[in-house]
mmCIF file of all heavy atoms in Angstrom:
data_model
loop_
_atom_site.group_PDB
_atom_site.id
_atom_site.type_symbol
_atom_site.label_atom_id
_atom_site.label_comp_id
_atom_site.label_asym_id
_atom_site.label_seq_id
_atom_site.Cartn_x
_atom_site.Cartn_y
_atom_site.Cartn_z
ATOM 1 N N ALA U 35 30.886 50.290 -4.900
ATOM 2 C CA ALA U 35 32.035 49.406 -4.926
ATOM 3 C C ALA U 35 32.195 48.720 -6.297
ATOM 4 O O ALA U 35 33.306 48.598 -6.812
ATOM 5 C CB ALA U 35 31.933 48.366 -3.802
ATOM 6 N N LEU U 44 39.579 49.326 -15.637
ATOM 7 C CA LEU U 44 39.872 50.123 -16.818
ATOM 8 C C LEU U 44 41.236 50.837 -16.654
ATOM 9 O O LEU U 44 41.991 50.915 -17.620
ATOM 10 C CB LEU U 44 38.760 51.160 -17.048
ATOM 11 C CG LEU U 44 37.395 50.598 -17.470
ATOM 12 C CD1 LEU U 44 36.400 51.720 -17.530
ATOM 13 C CD2 LEU U 44 37.519 49.840 -18.769
ATOM 14 N N ASN U 59 56.433 57.343 -28.571
ATOM 15 C CA ASN U 59 57.109 56.701 -27.472
ATOM 16 C C ASN U 59 57.190 57.646 -26.303
ATOM 17 O O ASN U 59 57.177 58.890 -26.491
ATOM 18 C CB ASN U 59 58.522 56.268 -27.918
ATOM 19 C CG ASN U 59 59.185 55.446 -26.840
ATOM 20 O OD1 ASN U 59 59.840 55.999 -25.919
ATOM 21 N ND2 ASN U 59 59.106 54.148 -26.938
ATOM 22 N N SER U 147 58.709 54.081 15.758
ATOM 23 C CA SER U 147 59.132 55.343 16.343
ATOM 24 C C SER U 147 60.229 56.050 15.516
ATOM 25 O O SER U 147 60.533 57.224 15.742
ATOM 26 C CB SER U 147 59.720 55.056 17.745
ATOM 27 O OG SER U 147 60.913 54.295 17.684
ATOM 28 N N ASP U 264 54.300 72.854 -12.141
ATOM 29 C CA ASP U 264 55.304 73.850 -12.437
ATOM 30 C C ASP U 264 54.999 74.623 -13.694
ATOM 31 O O ASP U 264 55.416 75.789 -13.850
ATOM 32 C CB ASP U 264 56.686 73.160 -12.552
ATOM 33 C CG ASP U 264 57.192 72.618 -11.256
ATOM 34 O OD1 ASP U 264 56.732 73.092 -10.205
ATOM 35 O OD2 ASP U 264 58.042 71.701 -11.248
ATOM 36 N N ILE U 291 36.241 50.468 -3.040
ATOM 37 C CA ILE U 291 36.358 49.022 -3.035
ATOM 38 C C ILE U 291 36.650 48.514 -1.585
ATOM 39 O O ILE U 291 36.087 47.541 -1.148
ATOM 40 C CB ILE U 291 37.436 48.542 -4.001
ATOM 41 C CG1 ILE U 291 36.966 48.808 -5.469
ATOM 42 C CG2 ILE U 291 37.726 47.064 -3.809
ATOM 43 C CD1 ILE U 291 38.030 48.511 -6.467
ATOM 44 N N ARG U 304 25.673 40.789 8.967
ATOM 45 C CA ARG U 304 25.059 39.614 8.325
ATOM 46 C C ARG U 304 23.722 39.281 9.022
ATOM 47 O O ARG U 304 23.588 39.365 10.196
ATOM 48 C CB ARG U 304 25.997 38.406 8.364
ATOM 49 C CG ARG U 304 27.240 38.640 7.550
ATOM 50 C CD ARG U 304 27.958 37.332 7.311
ATOM 51 N NE ARG U 304 29.231 37.638 6.664
ATOM 52 C CZ ARG U 304 30.406 37.752 7.264
ATOM 53 N NH1 ARG U 304 30.454 37.653 8.562
ATOM 54 N NH2 ARG U 304 31.489 38.022 6.577
#
Side-chain angles (χ1 to χ4, degrees):
L44 292 176
N59 187 274
S147 66
D264 291 339
I291 291 173
R304 294 195 186 96

